[in-house]
Amino acid sequence: MREIEEVLVTDVAGFIEELVPPTGFRRFPVYRGLPSRSGMILPSLLREDLSDTEFKSWQQLEAAYLMRLKELSRTQIEAHCELEWMRQGHRFGLPTRLSSWTTNGLIALFEATAATADDEDGVVFRVLPGRSDWVISQDYEQLPDRPRLYVSPVQSDHPMERDECYLVHPIPEGASAPVDFETWYLNSEENLHVSKITVSAEMKGWIRDQLARMSVSARSLKPGMRGICEQIRDDVHRSTDSYDWMLPGA
């Protein structure tokens, strides 16, 4: 069975060394940051409790969500295909088969350094594709039967949304138990290279300080009051009466 590469970083400079340039046409790395190493890459739809609904399969549940989305939001959402309907619903909290990724590794690092109640290590997943068909064509009509990347043709001016892309997860047959992306990768022969870049819990605050000095912060990444309020929280939880620790030799 194949393995997932494990990497440990202790600062932004070490993480930047792990950033990989595009390797060819439609072959570019993508990243996903999670504040806990124990977090699974599983889309919100497959985190639902199917037994709590009237539906007997994941396909039926997904169809119900999308049907109601289209019925109630046609005047608010423009979508040219099923994946775009999913993306729009996903942005506003609708359970879908999509998980959010980014082509900007520093954004993923910011997400991985969020504090957790149990003071856990964070992780950035990095996927390096080996073939151009990893990225779904924008005029794709049939949903893929294995994980593929969707890049929306609808572009945003906001930094976080501009770099966002989406992993399209396959839906299990019937009511079968979902399979997370790590497990699928370990048991597949897909031409991908997956890494887990770990950020230790004790270094999260230090790395966030470094990112803030590079203008990578909640206020710069997240739109409106959401980003401002998260920035305030970060600022309030960070205090020092000496700069000696960050200015060696001062």
Side-chain angles (χ1 to χ4, degrees), residues 10-13 205-216:
T10 57
D11 56 19
V12 174
W206 163 236
I207 290 176
R208 277 226 165 172
D209 284 334
Q210 290 181 307
L211 288 171
R213 280 177 270 156
M214 301 168 66
S215 297
V216 180

Side-chain angles (χ1 to χ4, degrees), residues 130-181:
R131 292 169 41 174
S132 61
D133 65 358
W134 162 247
V135 180
I136 294 172
S137 172
Q138 290 181 0
D139 58 358
Y140 203 96
E141 293 297 332
Q142 185 175 358
L143 295 173
D145 59 2
R146 59 193 191 279
R148 284 291 180 267
L149 197 71
Y150 175 61
V151 180
S152 173
V154 181
Q155 295 299 307
S156 169
D157 291 332
H158 198 276
M160 199 163 192
E161 296 176 356
R162 183 173 59 239
D163 296 315
E164 198 164 36
C165 49
Y166 304 87
L167 188 63
V168 184
H169 297 252
I171 299 299
E173 289 294 328
S176 301
V179 176
D180 63 273
F181 177 69

Side-chain angles (χ1 to χ4, degrees), residues 61-81:
L61 179 61
E62 179 182 54
Y65 277 131
L66 290 174
M67 183 183 300
R68 291 298 286 157
L69 177 65
K70 293 174 183 179
E71 290 172 347
L72 299 177
S73 63
R74 283 195 181 277
T75 60
Q76 302 177 59
I77 292 177
E78 293 184 10
H80 68 282
C81 66

